Amino acid sequence: MDQTRNNSTAEIETTVLGADEIILNMGPQHPSTHGVLRVKLKLDGERVAASECIIGYLHRGVEKIAEHRSYQQFAPYVDRMDYVAAVSNGLGYCEAVEKLLGAEAPPRARVVRTILTELQRIASHLVWLGTHALDIGALTPLFYCFREREEILKIFEKYCGARLTTHAFRIGGLQYETYDGFEEEVKRFCEDFSKRIEEYETLLTENRIWLGRTKGVGILNAADAIALGVSGPVLRASGVKWDIRKAAPYAAYDQYKFEIPVGKNGDTYDRYIVRMEEMRQSRLICLQAIENIPTGAIMARIGKVLKPPPGEVYHAIEAPKGELGYYIVSDGTTQPYRVRVRPPSFINLQAFDKMARGSLVADVVAIIGTIDIVLGEVDR
Amino acid sequence: MPFGIEFDDIRQYIAPVIYALVIVAVLPLMAGYIVLLERKVMAHMQARMGPMRVGPHGLLQPIADAVKLLLKEDITPKNADALMFWLAPLLSVTMALLAYAALPFGPAFQIADLDVGLLFILAISSLGIYGIVLGGWASNSHYSLLGALRSAAQLVSYETAAGLALVSGLLLGGTLSMKGLVEAQDSQGVWFIFVAPFSFFIYLIASIAETNRAPFDLPEAESELVAGYMTEYSGFRWSLYFLAEYANMIVVSGIAVTLFLGGWMRPLSGVHAHIFGLPYELLDLLPALIFFGLAAWCTKLALRQGEQIQKMVMFLFVGLFVVLGAAMAWSLTSTSLMPGIHGAFWFIVKVLVYLYGFLWFRFTFPRYRFDQLMKLGWQFLIPLALVNLVMIGIGIVLAQQFLWPLSLAMIAANVVTLIVAFWLVRQGDKPSIVVLPAEDELPAAGPGEIR
Amino acid sequence: MLPVSHYIYLSLALFIIGVIGVLTRRNVIIILMSIELILNAVNINLMAFSRMWGSVDGQIFAIFIITDAAAEAAVGLGIIIAFFRNRPTVLADEMDLLKW
Amino acid sequence: MMLDSILFYFFAALAVGSAILMVTRRNAVHSAVFLISTLLAIAGIFLQLQAEFLFVVQIILYVGGIMVLFVFVIMLVNLDVAVRQMKFNRQSWVAGLLALVLGGLAVVVYRSGGGAFNLMGAPATTMPPNAEQVGTVLFQKYFLPFEIASILLLVAMIGAVVMAKRKI
Amino acid sequence: MNAVLPFFLDHIWLIPMFPLAGAALMFFIGRRLSNAAASAICVGSVGVSFVFALGAFFQLLGMPEGQRVAEKILFEWVPAGPYHMTSGSVTSFVADWGFLLDPLSAVMILVVTGVGLLIHIYSTGYMANEGGFYRFFGYLNLFMFSMLMLVLANNLLLLFVGWEGVGTCSYLLIGFWFKKKAASDAGKKAFIVNRVGDAGFLLGIFLTSALLGTIRFTEIGPALVTAHIAIGAPLITAIALLFFWGATGKSAQIPLYVWLPDAMEGPTPVSALIHAATMVTAGVYMVTRSNAIFQLSPLAMSVVAIVGAATAIFAASIGVVQNDIKKVLAYSTISQLGYMFLGCGVGAFTAGIFHLMTHAFFKGLLFLAAGSVIHAMSGEQDMTKMGALAKKIPTTYRTMLVATLAIAGIPPLAGFFSKDEILEKAFERSPALWVVGWITAGMTAFYMFRLLFMTFHGESHVDHDVEHHIHESPSAMTIPLTILAVLSIIGGWIGIGGRFEKFLEPVTASMGAPEIAAEAGKAPALLLMAASVLLALGGIWLAWMLYIKRTDLAAAVRRNAGALYDLVAHKYYIDEIYDAMFLNRSKDLGSSLGMFDAKIIDGLGVNGAAWLTRAISLVSMWWDTWIVDGSVRLGAFLVELASFPIRLIQDGEMQEYMLIIVIGLIGFLGYTVYLLHWMR
């Protein structure tokens, strides 16, 4: 029995199963693994005795591609990693390259970047909320969430022409000036949005079934979370007050007041509450930013051909899913020597086994949902 | 007459056969339209339109769906048990349809008024488990097997609660015959939902669970077990399961309506008072008005249709509603026809209201987890049903032996049940013992984990 | 009503089939099912006689027999599961630990 | 009357046929399904004997309860191995023969018993609806046996739970 | 006695059952209960008993005087066969499970349940931090059950059940801290010494039933009358002496008192309940209960009185020099028990019972207060390490002062009345006995005030570590103390004017036997009272002098007394004498027997025989191997041969067994067919 408790593929494959044990393959084609994640579960009855995530079904070699593209050419590729939060990905990459260049985007660009990134955070969390609720069996929130997300995507579309893979920012600032009525639309959205969140919470937060399905499920304590390198809402729900927007402010975050919500128990419910609160905070940031957008240039003077000095840089931002870091090595040419992405979903997925052991099959779904992974980012 | 068949035999045997044929023929259509209703209601609850393409407002969608399902390839997995794989959906749908034999759609529309009608329906619907279990087992897939086992456990558990809830209705009615139950409510002048609300409430929950509907749709929970026992099914056989599910929904609604909601009786049928100077009997006009209203509404919708063919289909429905409305109105003139036709109308309306409840729950609630489901069944519903049963019994004794007024006795009984219900809920809110495994059962840390 | 002998022959047939099942099948679960068959054969007799005498006593006994069958099935299957956990077999002739 | 015999022969044939299939099928699930079929046929014979209540009890308890348990257990104990093995034991031929001899002897005893078995008692033409009557008799005349049976069930239930526990 | 009785009287049998239920609960599920739940159950059960006892008492009071007897026989317990009595006539022995409530047992159950309840409450505080809480309360409840059985029994055998039950509980409770060697030894000692006494009691019971043919209390008196037994008949004297022998064991009289001081190893509430208030008085109760027998035997009465008086003064003298607070109280208890027996011995049974009751109050209180002191001192029991505690634990001090005054016999406290009554009766019988009692009273006052002064007054000798922790006990302990203090004050007043005596009259009235005490003259009551009060005051003064005023005097006295002091301080070397007389002689006997065993039997007999045997066995071995074993093997071989076909059937396969059943059925049916066809 002790043998079977170890967690590795070989063990799961070769162990002689007891009378009540079966191996269940969830995915890669499964409604609730959010794409092409394959989870191999060893079940004791309906209880998870061991689990293993098998990834790589969506691997496209993004990091390798970067070595053969110039710095500007690679920028659209990062949008394809976390495709539900493309704007955030772009921000991280652009700022990393700017750091490598030693340049800085003008103030107006930075504020607009902040607004768009925060809207993107709301949109990403809305996708998470809808699908998570759907996984747990609540059908309706999905449609409400997508209704609001639609509003955000419309703003993106008006701003840069694309809805999903926006490529909204450029290295050194912005390509486009904001369109007429941008402020009003963002403001109207933000004002409506607080009512919408109340609506979701009415459906879920105090629902007995929802509480039963999320409270005490997939507990991850702070020490484990830190040891596993988990970041983002998952980390904060475990009670660690860590947010790069506060810890190492980028864009224009140092100008705005906002709170970092943290959880207590590190369970699925806390992660839910933390993300809901983050949406509210994002809305507040947007409202603060939209009141006072500086005028001026939107693009720094950096030249058409980028040749950063040889060296290396690591720059991380707080993407909706956690710490999104770019590690770029320059050899002085127009193409990066090496780009390494620290994707939050990939790292957060490490905590899956920790959370899933001893829980039931139904909880596995809730746990996958609550980590909020995007397979494009996990596999890259 | 040849073969010893006589006229009485015709009344006795032939008419039920015709009813049966009608039910078997109409039910799939009805199920299809319930699905359409479900999709429309769901869509409107979710701020969207739902099916709009096939037919005006998607009115022909069920037919298109049916055609699609029947034309799909019927796959039998390689290692499946062919016999059982074939038999299971058949069993499922047979048992679902068989239960209609004792369901009274109206005072006139009932295939057989059995002395043990209610028990018969319960017995037959309990056989539906086999369709699910065998299907899940025969598919030779882990998802299917898990779904099947869950389903069997769930059905067995909730059948107990449902049965106990129904027994309290039986106590009030004093008969097992479905017809007799409605007549008992007629003669006592009160629907049993008002004297035994907890029975109704328990049966409502248990019936949702028994038909595997959300939030108890674990056997086919799409986010966990893909489609549970139906995972490996496709095409015609899948549609049989589908049909069985909706047929079962109608059956449980029919039981609830018969036992608790006064069956085919018109609301306020026992009251002969006046309101605003108008007698309540004017409610008899309501069916006709409803159909004419529907016809008018459909006309309005039809006029808005852009395409000619859509307009025609819509007018077809207008015609249907007009005919039905006319039938309702005309039957008012005939004392012999009126109870039958109006009874059927009210019965179906009540069934639809009950089904609407099903749909509403489905769109509103998240899904239970399996252990929570079992806990709800065994630790809340069954104890509550037992208490309720005892209290109803006491209430009846008080009313019959000690000559309390029925309403007073039942209020007293139900208040006690309510207190017990609150107590049980509080018990359930205490930290659960079963959610997490004991320390020694927890798997040890894997090699990659940092201590 | 048909003559009672019909029912008795039917019951006998089922009984003998049940006995054959008990005696010859190796699978313990099927042996248990054969026992259920034997019990049902008895029930048919009881019901036929109940009908013959026009009294429901026979039916009452049938109810008791069904109760008994339920108890037997529950315990029997429990034993099978417990046995299966310790020695993964359900074949009757491999359950011979009582031999000396 | 004719319908009566048709029903009887139909159900009897179904019961015997399914019973034979039950005993001879290799796969336990198939056996279980044929046993269910037998039980349903027997329920039909109950109905033909105008014992509606027992008909329903037979279906609810036997088919809907006990057999579900059987099917459940068959699925729990993985029988892939058993399917491939010999289905009859080595004494099957002798045993089958002896069982048939037993049946034959029983027939001989029954037939030659003649007057010893008073089976010619006048059958009632129809029986009144008997659910209520069964209840009355059960709870008055047979109240003590009924309670004992309840206790038996309780004991069996506890026994089954104990037996099926993970660790004995 | 099956007339319709009022509710409580009809249900007196329930009184012991509540504690029994509590004990059973404790033993079966106690481990899983919280301390609060355990104490609630146990205290509650005793409380219910108390309520029932009160109810029964008042309903008994409500009955007409002289008929105050309620007997409830539940069932016949030991329906033994007929036998011959000593008189030669045949009777049948009957012992039933019956309960008797008369004024005597009414007083006893009130004392037992009342004091028991208070001590239970006290224990919840005292034992709060001990392991085995539920075990303690389970034992206590079991004890309550046994004690109530003892006092409510309607016959000697059932009384003996309770008698043994309390002994067992005493053993269990003394050894409650069984990991401590002293405690477990003390438990064993108590148990063994009690056995010696119980043997006498049991013999007495046998003799009673042989002589009188009955062991029911209600029938003993009439039986004595109908048997026409003469006063001082040898058999009746034997019975009385045997009973008293039993009583000396249980009630710690000379010579079987040695276990009681050691029993102080048990928890203090146990000492209070068992070794002061209730169990040890069982002997007094038993003697009083069988007063009809005693009154027929002047010799036995004299023995009782003399032993009682001797014990009283003897134990008091030891108490004077003890330094352990509980040991002092233990010797005081022995001494007071001596008083009670003195009372009984002089025919003043009611006075004995009266003293028993008041003693239960103030001695229980003393023990509980001592427990409170020990509690405050974190377990310290040595009085030389105490002092000046009066300010720190005022409630304890005040209650203890009341108790001490009561035991010293200062009017108008409880002890005064009861002790005075005994002394008065003793004087009527024999002035010598009175003198002994009188001196004892003085010594009592002295050593009790010595205890009080050493503990609460003077200079503090408390260790520094302990000093910080001194605190008043929790209210669960102080409230019982206060209640008992009130009882100690007013408890004696019911005896004023002979009310108590009159109440007990029906029990102690001589059943046809002549009144012995009537022979003696009337004592000068007031004079005696004054003498004893004066002596008590003198004792107090002496204690004050020695331990407060002139603390150096005590040491001087100790030095000058020399040998006498040593003698007393070593408890007259009684334990050593017992060792020398009984223990060592037993050991000697054992070792000489051992010598005999080793030398004579082993050496000569066994070893010699062994040599002889070896020689013979050589011869026999050959015979054994070939002839005997050979035949056995042959037999085994034959059996195996014969069993082969049967073993084939018994192969453990159930289906083959079933086949055999079928074959049997075929045989049966075939036989039937044979009968039907061929035998016709």
Side-chain angles (χ1 to χ4, degrees), chain A residues 214-221 224 238 265-268 271 351 354-356 367, chain B residues 436:
Chain A
T214 54
K215 277 234 162 176
V217 170
I219 292 175
L220 185 69
N221 62 36
D224 284 337
S238 299
N265 308 316
D267 57 6
T268 304
R271 291 188 274 276
K354 191 96 202 164
M355 298 184 196
I367 290 167
Chain B
L436 287 175

Side-chain angles (χ1 to χ4, degrees), chain B residues 168-310:
Chain B
S168 44
L170 297 181
L171 284 182
L172 290 162
T175 174
L176 282 169
S177 148
M178 296 295 270
K179 206 169 186 170
L181 283 166
V182 179
E183 279 157 5
Q185 294 179 63
D186 196 11
S187 64
Q188 295 183 19
V190 59
W191 295 358
F192 289 159
I193 183 179
F194 297 117
V195 284
F198 278 96
S199 307
F200 177 75
F201 163 72
I202 293 164
Y203 184 73
L204 175 65
I205 297 176
S207 65
I208 297 172
E210 267 196 89
T211 45
N212 292 335
R213 298 283 300 179
F216 303 101
D217 55 345
L218 297 161
E220 44 190 299
E222 76 276 358
S223 61
E224 296 155 33
L225 299 180
V226 190
Y229 58 90
M230 306 198 286
T231 306
E232 304 293 336
Y233 279 90
S234 64
F236 187 63
R237 283 185 254 196
W238 186 84
S239 56
L240 285 184
Y241 269 130
F242 199 69
L243 175 61
E245 180 179 335
Y246 280 85
N248 268 329
M249 278 165 65
I250 298 174
V251 169
V252 294
S253 313
I255 295 176
V257 166
T258 308
L259 198 50
F260 295 111
L261 297 176
W264 60 72
M265 290 192 295
R266 168 173 64 71
L268 301 173
S269 62
V271 185
H272 300 287
H274 295 256
I275 186 165
F276 302 134
L278 298 171
Y280 278 122
E281 275 76 8
L282 281 181
L283 281 175
D284 281 337
L285 291 176
L286 204 58
L289 287 179
I290 287 174
F291 279 119
F292 287 132
L294 275 174
W297 187 52
C298 286
T299 315
K300 188 181 144 202
L301 290 179
L303 293 175
R304 279 200 210 150
Q305 294 296 323
E307 289 176 43
Q308 200 60 34
I309 179 86
Q310 304 280 51

Side-chain angles (χ1 to χ4, degrees), chain A residues 169-319:
Chain A
F169 310 139
R170 295 294 184 275
I171 297 162
L174 303 170
Q175 173 87 349
Y176 312 107
E177 186 52 83
T178 53
Y179 60 89
D180 291 342
F182 173 77
E183 286 89 344
E184 288 73 43
E185 277 189 24
V186 172
K187 205 167 181 176
R188 199 172 60 233
F189 170 79
C190 289
E191 272 156 10
D192 284 355
F193 188 62
S194 71
K195 272 180 293 178
R196 303 297 186 190
I197 292 189
E198 299 303 324
E199 199 176 331
Y200 312 143
E201 295 228 39
T202 316
L203 269 174
L204 298 176
T205 304
E206 280 170 22
N207 186 320
R208 291 182 72 86
I209 307 177
W210 181 262
L211 288 174
R213 285 300 304 275
T214 54
K215 277 234 162 176
V217 170
I219 292 175
L220 185 69
N221 62 36
D224 284 337
I226 293 171
L228 287 163
V230 166
S231 58
V234 184
L235 178 67
R236 288 193 283 276
S238 299
V240 183
K241 204 163 186 173
W242 170 255
D243 189 320
I244 298 173
R245 288 177 292 175
K246 286 271 192 202
Y250 54 92
Y253 284 109
D254 45 357
Q255 302 171 17
Y256 308 123
K257 274 197 282 187
F258 62 98
E259 298 286 321
I260 307 174
V262 287
K264 264 189 298 204
N265 308 316
D267 57 6
T268 304
Y269 185 72
D270 277 7
R271 291 188 274 276
Y272 160 76
I273 289 291
V274 163
R275 287 199 178 95
M276 296 305 269
E277 188 56 35
E278 274 187 16
M279 284 199 263
R280 291 204 176 92
Q281 295 297 334
S282 295
R283 173 183 158 268
L284 289 179
I285 295 174
C286 284
L287 279 176
Q288 289 176 52
I290 208 74
E291 285 302 322
N292 193 10
I293 304 182
T295 50
I298 55 165
M299 193 71 184
R301 294 180 167 278
I302 51 169
K304 294 272 182 216
V305 180
L306 296 186
K307 275 196 182 179
E312 54 182 55
V313 70
Y314 177 80
H315 182 69
I317 65 157
E318 185 73 27

Side-chain angles (χ1 to χ4, degrees), chain E residues 551-564:
Chain E
T551 41
D552 53 324
L553 261 183
V557 169
R558 194 175 304 156
R559 258 197 321 281
N560 293 334
L564 185 63

Side-chain angles (χ1 to χ4, degrees), chain C residues 19 22-26 31 92-93 95-96 98-100, chain E residues 643 647 650-655 657-660 662 665:
Chain C
V19 168
V22 170
L23 291 181
T24 60
R25 287 305 299 258
R26 296 176 78 206
I31 292 176
D93 47 9
M95 296 177 178
D96 53 359
L98 278 178
K99 155 168 74 181
W100 67 285
Chain E
S643 70
R647 204 171 57 181
Q650 287 277 346
D651 63 351
E653 286 187 23
M654 56 174 179
Q655 284 173 310
Y657 299 164
M658 291 187 216
L659 185 62
I660 291 165
V662 167
L665 263 179

